[in-house]
Amino acid sequence: MYICNSKSIDCLRKMDSTSDRIIGCAMVIISSTGLFGNTSSFLYFWYRRQKSIPDKLYLGIVSVDICTTITAIPVIVSLFNNRNETLFQDEHVCAIWAILANLTVRMSMFMVTVLSVSRTVAIILPYKARYVRENMVIAVVAGYGILLFTVDGVGFAVGWMKGTFQQQLPFCSFNFTERTPEWAKLFFLIALQVELFLPSLIIFISF
């Protein structure tokens, strides 16, 4: 443990570095445990994927969780390297990471929402539930994922958004550029609020 004088810059930097390494070690343990658990769940639901719609949704959720664990690797590397960009040095890599990070979080929330709705319909309206086809659910989930990826990808391609490394966090985030029109900023902000609030509300009502 470091005991620092408030004027000792070097000592404070050592404390920060030690804290980052502790956080990095914790992330390694959590990510490794999560990867093992999600991989086991993936194999289980993969063999049950023909059983029911919930099984397919569970398979999708654990797949997204595995991707989320993989996206944590550059963050862990940055923590062990004094929060330097390291794997985030390239602007395009930074942008792609931000797109994938946003996509995995939103897709996970969306699939949990679809799962909650499907279970609620099966309980409350069991005779109507048989009209919900697997292909319909898969099409809705896939369509939503494609829409999210397309919107973020187009925003980056036309120069309205860019990936920026945030050393304080430390990871990349999407930020508006000087070329971003005001209506696009408003659209992205409203869409973000809806995507964060609406699934939580639906899940709460379903349960």
Side-chain angles (χ1 to χ4, degrees):
M1 178 181 293
Y2 295 101
I3 301 176
C4 295
N5 185 298
S6 59
K7 296 182 179 179
S8 177
I9 304 300
D10 291 337
C11 190
L12 290 175
R13 287 177 178 172
K14 289 180 180 179
M15 287 186 65
D16 291 339
S17 179
T18 302
S19 299
D20 287 345
R21 281 169 171 74
I22 292 173
I23 295 172
C25 289
M27 289 185 66
V28 169
I29 295 172
I30 295 171
S31 298
S32 301
T33 305
L35 185 61
F36 173 78
N38 284 316
T39 302
S40 301
S41 299
F42 178 86
L43 294 175
Y44 172 77
F45 288 113
W46 176 259
Y47 290 113
R48 287 176 55 89
R49 66 188 185 279
Q50 302 296 338
K51 298 291 183 180
S52 64
I53 291 176
D55 288 337
K56 286 185 171 58
L57 289 173
Y58 284 128
L59 179 63
I61 290 171
V62 296
S63 300
V64 171
D65 286 345
I66 291 173
C67 293
T68 302
T69 303
I70 294 174
T71 59
I73 294 175
V75 180
I76 295 172
V77 173
S78 180
L79 286 169
F80 281 107
N81 195 27
N82 297 319
R83 300 200 176 210
N84 292 322
E85 292 94 334
T86 316
L87 300 179
F88 291 127
Q89 290 181 358
D90 186 80
E91 180 181 344
H92 293 84
V93 172
C94 196
I96 292 172
W97 186 93
I99 291 174
L100 293 178
N102 288 333
L103 180 64
T104 54
V105 171
R106 295 175 182 178
M107 285 300 299
S108 182
M109 293 178 62
F110 183 74
M111 282 190 286
V112 171
T113 303
V114 175
L115 178 63
S116 300
V117 172
S118 66
R119 302 290 283 189
T120 302
V121 171
I123 294 172
I124 299 177
L125 302 170
Y127 295 106
K128 298 290 185 181
R130 66 176 183 270
Y131 294 109
V132 180
R133 303 297 182 185
E134 294 179 3
N135 292 339
M136 294 169 54
V137 176
I138 294 174
V140 169
V141 173
Y144 183 74
I146 293 172
L147 175 64
L148 291 179
F149 187 82
T150 301
V151 170
D152 288 344
V154 169
F156 173 74
V158 299
W160 290 353
M161 304 184 77
K162 65 178 181 179
T164 305
F165 179 73
Q166 307 290 338
Q167 190 173 22
Q168 297 84 358
L169 296 175
F171 52 76
C172 292
S173 63
F174 255 155
N175 293 306
F176 298 121
T177 66
E178 63 280 357
R179 297 175 55 187
T180 311
E182 293 300 322
W183 67 265
K185 293 180 181 179
L186 185 62
F187 169 80
F188 280 110
L189 292 175
I190 293 176
L192 178 62
Q193 297 302 318
V194 171
E195 290 169 4
L196 293 177
F197 173 75
L198 192 58
S200 301
L201 178 62
I202 294 175
I203 293 172
F204 176 77
I205 294 174
S206 298
F207 283 96

